[in-house]
Amino acid sequence: MKKRDPMKSDWIATAKTLNAALPYLQRYDGATVVIKLGGHAMGSDEGMESFARDVVFMQQTGVNPVIVHGGGPQINAMLERLDITSEFVRGKRVTDKATVEVVEMVLSGLINKKLVQAINAAGGDVVRAVGLSGKDANLMVCEQTDPSLGFVGTPVAFNPEFLRSLHAAEIIPVIAPIGAGRNGETFNVNGDTAAGAIAASLRADRLLLLTDVAGVRDAGGDVVTELSPDQILAMIDDGTIAGGMIPKVETALSAIESGVRAAVILDGRAANACLLELYTDHGAGSIIRNPR
């Protein structure tokens, strides 16, 4: 009698999963997907390695990924180590000259290169990533957002052709949200804002905002899987969407208005979150798009 392989059922399940993913693999072939990885979503080396493998998989199946990362917790830790005290205006940190130097050091140095290294390690000799900030190739030129906040910038001009040239060379760009001023300034840019603006400049198919929450919740606390811009505005008006979720959904709305097909807010700490969103029926988190 032929001996049954106990692993056969696992192989069959894997084959079925790949078969079910085929329409989505075809759907996103050649698509540009901008992914914002929040600082809280980079909480462990294992999580970063898992994210890196997902990005490599996406690139190898025809997606053009652009990674924009944050680093708020890491910046706070470094400011504390250096005994640099921050001032706050209306609840927002004032980024003075000393602070912006630390921000650039942490984002463009420590975090950016760690993430690039993780993607390159996952990609072996096949996939390459390169670390950038908005100052490289005038990728993201900024104006001062509010003089009272110091060196905090709002993106006003972009160089999407530079990113397209990297994709043509099969290189994954990993971008720190540091912007260049027209007069030589260095500006700290909110990571979500930077990701949304870059996605808009590329007319990306998807903007994935990876954070530390499962998505947009309704009044009962349940995650809403699909929302229109009008529904988002109504939920802001009635207070259902509040606090730190407001700037995230505003980023999503702005990106959609500028030509991005859809934005998704999802939990970056969940295993394979990006793959679940792109390549499965149920997706992950909350997708925001115009009604079809």
Side-chain angles (χ1 to χ4, degrees):
M1 180 181 292
K2 186 175 181 180
K3 186 176 181 182
R4 180 177 175 83
D5 188 335
M7 296 297 292
K8 185 176 180 180
S9 61
D10 291 339
W11 297 341
I12 293 173
T14 300
K16 288 181 177 179
T17 299
L18 292 172
N19 183 268
L22 179 59
Y24 300 99
L25 294 171
Q26 295 170 328
R27 159 72 178 78
Y28 290 105
D29 186 29
T32 296
V33 176
V34 177
I35 307 169
K36 158 60 191 329
L37 183 63
H40 289 287
M42 295 184 284
S44 68
D45 290 341
E46 294 80 7
M48 188 173 289
E49 290 169 4
S50 176
F51 173 77
R53 288 193 297 272
D54 287 357
V55 170
V56 168
F57 180 88
M58 292 164 60
Q59 198 262 6
Q60 287 291 280
T61 53
V63 171
N64 295 318
V66 177
I67 315 303
V68 180
H69 63 81
Q74 295 86 344
I75 291 169
N76 291 338
M78 183 60 73
L79 289 171
E80 186 175 347
R81 282 181 58 187
L82 297 175
D83 198 24
I84 296 176
T85 302
S86 297
E87 295 182 24
F88 290 84
V89 173
R90 299 182 300 277
K92 296 181 179 180
R93 185 197 304 275
V94 176
T95 304
D96 58 15
K97 186 171 180 58
T99 301
V100 80
E101 289 177 352
V102 173
V103 169
E104 183 170 23
M105 175 179 68
V106 173
L107 293 179
S108 296
L110 178 65
I111 296 176
N112 187 274
K113 301 316 172 190
K114 187 174 183 179
L115 185 50
V116 166
Q117 188 175 25
I119 295 172
N120 285 335
D125 296 328
V126 180
V127 176
R128 297 169 297 163
V130 62
L132 306 164
S133 80
K135 294 167 73 173
D136 292 300
N138 284 330
L139 182 59
M140 187 168 63
V141 178
C142 296
E143 293 179 353
Q144 190 177 43
T145 302
D146 181 343
S148 69
L149 296 177
F151 293 96
V152 175
T154 297
V156 294
F158 307 90
N159 185 359
E161 290 305 319
F162 177 65
L163 296 178
R164 293 190 181 104
S165 71
L166 293 179
H167 283 151
E170 299 185 344
I171 296 172
I172 298 172
V174 180
I175 305 168
I178 299 294
R182 299 189 190 278
N183 297 311
E185 309 98 325
T186 296
F187 286 114
N188 179 24
V189 183
N190 175 273
D192 290 337
T193 301
I198 290 169
S201 75
L202 289 165
R203 295 297 180 95
D205 191 273
R206 285 288 186 275
L207 168 63
L208 306 183
L209 298 172
L210 273 61
T211 183
D212 58 350
V213 295
V216 179
R217 297 185 184 275
D218 61 20
D222 296 320
V223 173
V224 184
T225 57
E226 185 162 353
L227 292 153
S228 70
D230 286 345
Q231 288 174 306
I232 290 290
L233 293 174
M235 292 171 75
I236 294 174
D237 285 343
D238 68 19
T240 302
I241 295 176
M245 183 57 70
I246 290 179
K248 294 187 183 301
V249 297
E250 288 179 340
T251 292
L253 295 180
S254 178
I256 293 167
E257 186 177 350
S258 299
V260 176
R261 286 173 60 91
V264 186
I265 298 173
L266 63 164
D267 192 344
R269 302 166 302 175
N272 310 118
C274 292
L275 302 188
L276 289 171
E277 171 54 35
L278 295 180
Y279 301 124
T280 67
D281 284 332
H282 52 75
S286 301
I287 187 168
I288 303 167
R289 59 186 168 193
N290 288 314
R292 291 179 287 180

